[in-house]
Each structure stands twice: as C-alpha cells, then as structure tokens.
Amino acid sequence: MPVTDDSVATLRALLAGESAEYERLYGNLDAAARRTGYPAMIDAAFFEAVDRRFGKGKASDVVEFVGDVRSKSLTLEEQIDPRIAERLIQAVLGDGSIDDIDDKARFSTEVILLAVLIADEQLDSTGLDEFLDGARKLADRWTS
Amino acid sequence: MGADRVSDGTDTNAETVEEQPDRRPPPPPDKPGTDGYPSRADSRNGAMAANDASSQKAENQTEDNPETSQRSQEPVGERDSTSTEQPETPRRPESNEASGTDGGNTDGRRTAGSEVGTGGASELEQRPEEIGDVGGQKQALDGQVTPQDKAGSAEAGEQPADKRTGEAPSTDIGELTLADTSSVRHTVDIADRTSVGTDDPVPVSKANETPRESLDDHRDGVTDEASETGRPPVAAPESILPAGGSEDQQRIEAAPRSDTRRGEDTAHPADVETKSGQDEQPRPDGPTTGHLEEMSEVAESSEDTVAARSDKETSVERPEDPGGEVASEVESAQQAEGNSAQSKHRTYEFNVGSTPIRVRIDPVGAAVADKTIPAKDTEPEPAGDRMANAEDGKRSREDRFRKKAYEISDDTADIVGEAGKTVHDFLAERPPTGHSMTRSSPELSSAPHEGINVGDTASGIVAAGILVGELGYRAYRGVRRRRENNNAGD
C-alpha cells in the first residue's frame, strides 16, 4: 500500500512542531494508513535523517547524540532506551540487525529521534518538504 | 669391474634365467672325455681356432682404423659409448671349465664384461662342436648379443639370415641383462634416450649430447673425422665390420665391450636389435628429433618412470621392426622391467579418513599460500572508526533496515501517536531561538551610581565627630590661652 498524503501531512505537522495540527491529522488517519503507511513513512524519514546526520560520521557520534537527546528532559530519558536508539541508528548505517526489536519500541524511539534530528537541522518549510518527499519515495518503495 | 662376471660355475645370472618362464631348455652339459662328446682338448682347439680367426679380423680392422684402437685402450669410464666405434678386443681362448663347472652356464651366456676390465682378457669359451651340436637352439638362445655367437656367426652360412633376424629378437631378453646391458646402454640407449638408470654414471647432460652425435653419425653412415667436440671419430658400423660381416657379427662386436655393470633396463637388447636395423637403414629425421626431445624431457623430469620411458621408446621404435616380433618381445620385457622400476619408485599416499595425512598433520603447511598481490592495500579500518560508505551501500542498507512488512497493530499505532505528543512537549520546552541585534555606533556607558552604604555612613559620621571634637578642643584651648594672656596682660 503506498503512503498517502494524509500520512505525509501528519508527519510534517509532527516535525514542524504543530501540535494541534498533528493531533488532528493523526486522529483523521484511517486504520490502514495508521497501521501501514504512517509507520512506513516514519521508518523512511528516520532512515533519511540518520543517513544525513551520521552517513559520513563516526560511530562515536551516535553514542554522543543519543546521550544528548536523553539529557534534554526527564521525559525523553525515560522513554528512550539508549541501546535501542543506538542500534536503530547503527542499523541505518549498516551495522547490526534490529529484527529482535519490537515495533512499539522501534517506532516510538524512531519518532522521538526523528523529531530531534529534524529540529537540530533547523529546516525551513521548503527544506522540510524536500526531506519528506525523499522519505515518501523511500517509503513507497518499501511498501510497494 | 668385469672380473666378477667371470663365470665361476655358480652363474649368478641363474635367477634371471629362472624368472623367464618361456625360456628354452639349456643345451646338454659339457661332458669332456665321455663317449660321444668332444674332449676338453678338442674344445680348446676348436675355440682357439675360432678366436684366432676373429682376432685376425680384429687386428686387420685395427690396422685399418687406428683411432678406434686407440680408443680401445682408454679406460672404460672415459671411453665414449658408441658400440660401433670400439674395436673388438682379441680374445684369449679359455675354457669356463677352468673356473668351475660349465654346467651352470649352459644357457649360452658369456662373461664378456671381464674383457674390458682386464684389458681384453677374454673369458669366452668357444666350443665349435657344441655350437654345431646345439645348432639352431643355441643360436636361437645366443643369437642376440652374446659373444659366443661370434663363432656361430663365423659359420654364418649355417643359418639363414632370415632365421637369425627372426629369432634373435625372440630370444629371452633377460639374458642380455647379465653382462651386456651396460654396453648397450652406453652405445645405443644413450642415443635412444631409453636408459637413464639409477646406477648410470653417465651424466644427463652427456646423455643429452651423445645421442645427437651418435645419431648424426648414423645418419651419415661414415666416420666423422672432424668432430667439433674433439671426440675420436665414430666409425660407422660398415667401416668396422669386415666386408662379409653379418648382423650377428655386429651384435658380437657390440657385446664384448660391455662393462660388467648390470643394467636395469632389459629393453636394451631390443635396442641393439633395433640399432642393427638402424645401421642398415638410417632413421628418418622425424623420429630422431622426437627421440632427442623426449630425451631432454627425461633429463629434466626425474619423476618419469622407466616404464614410461620404455613405453615411449617402444612406440617410437616399433615401426622400425619389420617382423613385429621384436617389438612384442621388447614390449613385454620392458613392461616387466617397468613394473619393477615402478615398484621401486612407487609412492604411497596415506589418508586419514578422506584427507591425506599431510593435510591432517600440517594443514597450514599443506595449504597453498595465496601469493597473489592484491590490487590495492586492503588494510581494514578499525571497527569503531569505520566510515559508512553512504552512496555505495545505501541501497543495501535500506534493504537491511526496512521491515519485511509494514503492518503494525492498533496498540502500536496508539503508542506511536503518544510518542508524537511527547515530541511536542519536548519541542515546547525548548527556549525560543530569538534573533541577535547589532548597533551601528558604539554605545557610551554612563557612570555607575551607587547608593549610600550604612557602614560607610557610620564611618563618615564617626570621622566627622572626631573632626568636630578636635576642632572644638582646639578652639577651647585657643580661647583659654587668650584669656590667660589677657589676664596676664592685665
């Protein structure tokens, strides 16, 4: 099933910090999009964001990044498992496997890390749209 | 060297004779003095007469070709190995009976090898009567190379030539190995490359050189007086042999020159027979070239077995055998010899299970190292600092990272939605980024205005009180001094 525009818009509202819009759009997603298209869009966007950030970096940067994210607030420290976060990033870089990570931990961690990565890039509206376009193509390839 | 070949009645070659199952029965024993048999004196006289005739021929031949006689005086080891170039040594008639019973040597073999070692002292026993009595049988037995045939060949008219040529190869080849194989090896086999025996003292390089000259000589059929190598000229067989020399005579002249080295190659007698055919018909250039090439291969390859070489030789020389019988006999003999040689050089490979013992014991040593030079230095980077190749392996990383099927449960979808709210909370806590302002002109700062301090005020009050008290005291003293002065003035 291809990724719908609603799924892309919902993710865009999330990454832009539009809380009310995000809750509205997410509430309007149909069940199929919430169970298939939106997770695929999150996965693809996370892959692209990590590849941008750590594609030419070192493995030590991953550990440092995860530590910085968890140190921002107590809520993030509680919700992010550092080992899962590091394994997800390393998996994007080609190291290790994440098959043993359940979907709840995987997608919840990816959503948080993705929001931090995009916030750190300080993308404007156009940059955010371009980023989401690339992620959508990747998600469409994965789900097709 | 050749003295051990003198027949002492025990006949050390008897084992070889017994190994030949198809061997014909030996001639009747020599019984001197018995009725119906010639006496010992008759035997000596007959042998002496036969040897005198042959010695006379040899002397005539030596006079005709003095260089070959000079070569015959050289030591055996230095003598070049060409059968046709060595003159026949005069033989001194001597009966084998003097050294023992002749019954053990009834197979017709003679100890011709001792002649070379003892400077030409012949140990031959020639009994014309016996030769005549035994007739075709002895001729068949000895017709190959044995010196005794010399007497028989002197009476060449007794046997037709076709019979000799037909039976000579059919005789047991094992006989020739007793004393005459070494000479054959030096004379013919070196040229034909067949003999690279384990005890062959001839260096391989020499063996490579010799046949070329020998073959050239044989092709020309004449003596090459101006040899480049400085070797004594090689006389063609026709030039050495008397005018009426037959094939048997050629064989007889080849046989006594043997050193007593016992050759391992029983195929050499066949070479002699083949060479006699070569002398009559020079070998074409094609096969000769092939011989030389094969010989060089044998010299280079130490792993070739004698059997393999014999097979090659047989395959090459077989077309030269007109009757085909020689080839079959030679082939069988060479096969037997090849089997013995193969058993001698046979290598065994022991396996432990299905792997060789070498691999089992020393797998590292048995393994063939990869000696290829890599195209570039492929030193791996440290795992912690390994850089991810984003462009090359991105597609593969995508395939590894993606889920097989994106189908999450409703509970998971709800958790993902809650994670979005957490993100918004995090983003709301973040301070506003704001913007920076810059002035176009420098800013003048005013002097700081500090308030009245209590302590400082108290200190000021105390200081002022002290000053006021001092001034009052001084004023009082001044007024009092003036009054006193006024009072004193009053």
Side-chain angles (χ1 to χ4, degrees), chain B residues 24-76:
Chain B
R24 294 171 182 167
D30 192 11
K31 297 178 180 179
T34 309
D35 293 340
Y37 290 90
S39 64
R40 183 169 299 176
D42 294 337
S43 300
R44 289 178 180 171
N45 292 334
M48 188 176 298
N51 286 332
D52 287 342
S54 61
S55 300
Q56 212 162 14
K57 291 179 182 177
E59 290 175 356
N60 295 335
Q61 183 179 341
T62 306
E63 292 174 357
D64 295 339
N65 197 353
E67 294 183 358
T68 55
S69 64
Q70 180 183 357
R71 287 180 52 79
S72 66
Q73 295 174 359
E74 294 177 0
V76 177

Side-chain angles (χ1 to χ4, degrees), chain A residues 14 17-19 22 26 34-36 38-40 42-43 46-48 51 55-57 59 72-73 75-76 79 92-96 98 103-104 106-107 110 115-116 119 138 141-142, chain B residues 383-391 394-395 397-404 406-427 429-430 433:
Chain A
L14 173 68
E18 301 169 354
S19 174
Y22 167 74
Y26 187 78
R34 293 176 63 178
R35 297 171 57 179
T36 304
Y38 186 68
I42 291 174
D43 230 9
F46 177 76
F47 184 92
E48 290 291 341
D51 187 55
K56 296 181 180 179
K72 290 184 182 300
S73 67
T75 305
L76 295 176
Q79 290 193 357
V92 172
L93 300 177
D95 291 337
I98 55 175
D103 290 343
K104 294 178 182 178
R106 173 175 180 165
F107 287 105
E110 284 181 359
V116 175
L138 183 60
R141 191 164 66 239
W142 287 356
Chain B
D385 297 336
R386 186 169 54 81
M387 300 288 290
N389 193 342
E391 300 299 329
K394 186 176 181 180
R395 180 58 64 91
R397 289 187 286 114
E398 291 174 0
D399 294 338
R400 291 175 61 185
F401 180 76
R402 57 166 290 190
K403 286 176 65 68
K404 298 295 183 291
Y406 285 96
E407 185 70 28
I408 63 175
S409 62
D410 293 336
D411 295 340
T412 305
D414 295 339
I415 292 175
V416 172
E418 293 298 324
K421 293 179 181 178
T422 305
V423 170
H424 288 155
D425 295 340
F426 156 71
L427 293 177
E429 292 175 357
R430 301 185 68 172
T433 55

Side-chain angles (χ1 to χ4, degrees), chain B residues 135-199:
Chain B
Q137 183 181 7
K138 191 169 186 63
Q139 179 67 25
L141 286 171
D142 302 336
Q144 39 201 11
V145 196
T146 57
Q148 190 172 359
D149 289 339
K150 184 178 180 181
S153 64
E155 302 172 5
E158 296 179 5
Q159 273 192 329
D162 55 351
K163 184 179 180 183
R164 290 196 303 272
T165 55
E167 287 191 359
S170 64
T171 54
D172 203 343
I173 297 171
E175 295 180 4
L176 192 59
T177 64
L178 302 178
D180 303 333
T181 53
S182 58
S183 70
V184 173
R185 291 173 51 174
H186 281 274
T187 57
V188 179
D189 282 351
I190 289 178
D192 289 343
R193 183 250 344 124
T194 59
S195 165
V196 186
T198 55
D199 58 346

Side-chain angles (χ1 to χ4, degrees), chain B residues 97-330:
Chain B
E97 297 165 358
S99 60
T101 58
D102 195 29
N105 197 15
T106 56
D107 54 355
R109 285 166 298 181
R110 294 297 179 264
T111 57
S114 61
E115 296 176 9
V116 178
T118 57
S122 174
E123 298 295 337
L124 294 176
E125 176 189 8
Q126 298 292 342
R127 295 190 61 183
E129 297 83 1
E130 183 178 344
I131 294 173
D133 291 339
V134 176
Q137 183 181 7
K138 191 169 186 63
Q139 179 67 25
L141 286 171
D142 302 336
Q144 39 201 11
V145 196
T146 57
Q148 190 172 359
D149 289 339
K150 184 178 180 181
S153 64
E155 302 172 5
E158 296 179 5
Q159 273 192 329
D162 55 351
K163 184 179 180 183
R164 290 196 303 272
T165 55
E167 287 191 359
S170 64
T171 54
D172 203 343
I173 297 171
E175 295 180 4
L176 192 59
T177 64
L178 302 178
D180 303 333
T181 53
S182 58
S183 70
V184 173
R185 291 173 51 174
H186 281 274
T187 57
V188 179
D189 282 351
I190 289 178
D192 289 343
R193 183 250 344 124
T194 59
S195 165
V196 186
T198 55
D199 58 346
D200 196 344
V202 180
V204 175
S205 58
K206 183 178 181 181
N208 287 336
E209 297 171 2
T210 305
R212 201 175 290 277
E213 301 168 359
S214 176
L215 289 173
D216 292 339
D217 296 338
H218 287 248
R219 287 196 203 100
D220 297 339
V222 295
T223 303
D224 188 5
E225 296 286 342
S227 176
E228 296 179 358
T229 58
R231 295 174 47 200
V234 179
E238 294 81 4
S239 63
I240 297 175
L241 292 174
S246 62
E247 290 183 7
D248 289 339
Q249 283 179 322
Q250 296 180 27
R251 296 190 213 111
I252 289 167
E253 293 192 6
R257 292 180 192 89
S258 65
D259 51 6
T260 57
R261 191 186 314 117
R262 179 169 186 166
E264 295 180 358
D265 301 334
T266 55
H268 304 319
D271 294 335
V272 173
E273 298 296 334
T274 309
K275 187 175 185 303
S276 64
Q278 291 174 358
D279 293 339
E280 295 174 6
Q281 290 182 345
R283 180 178 297 177
D285 292 340
T288 303
T289 305
H291 262 293
L292 295 175
E293 292 175 354
E294 290 180 3
M295 180 172 60
S296 62
E297 291 175 2
V298 170
E300 293 174 358
S301 173
S302 60
E303 296 179 356
D304 285 350
T305 61
V306 179
R309 294 193 296 269
S310 300
D311 292 342
K312 292 178 181 177
E313 176 192 36
T314 304
S315 62
V316 173
E317 295 180 355
R318 187 172 297 160
E320 300 176 3
D321 184 17
E325 298 177 5
V326 176
S328 60
E329 294 275 345
V330 170

Side-chain angles (χ1 to χ4, degrees), chain A residues 19-114:
Chain A
S19 174
E21 184 68 11
Y22 167 74
E23 291 182 0
R24 186 184 68 80
L25 292 174
Y26 187 78
N28 293 332
L29 285 177
D30 57 2
R34 293 176 63 178
R35 297 171 57 179
T36 304
Y38 186 68
M41 190 65 194
I42 291 174
D43 230 9
F46 177 76
F47 184 92
E48 290 291 341
V50 171
D51 187 55
R52 283 188 180 190
R53 176 74 173 266
F54 303 103
K56 296 181 180 179
K58 297 180 181 180
S60 58
D61 297 340
V62 176
V63 178
E64 183 179 356
F65 170 75
V66 172
D68 289 342
V69 172
R70 295 181 72 243
S71 64
K72 290 184 182 300
S73 67
L74 292 176
T75 305
L76 295 176
E77 185 178 0
E78 293 173 355
Q79 290 193 357
I80 293 177
D81 185 347
R83 290 186 300 174
I84 293 175
E86 292 173 2
R87 288 181 61 191
L88 287 171
I89 296 173
Q90 294 290 350
V92 172
L93 300 177
D95 291 337
S97 174
I98 55 175
D99 295 338
D100 58 334
I101 300 176
D102 63 297
D103 290 343
K104 294 178 182 178
R106 173 175 180 165
F107 287 105
S108 61
T109 305
E110 284 181 359
V111 167
I112 296 172
L113 294 178
L114 174 62

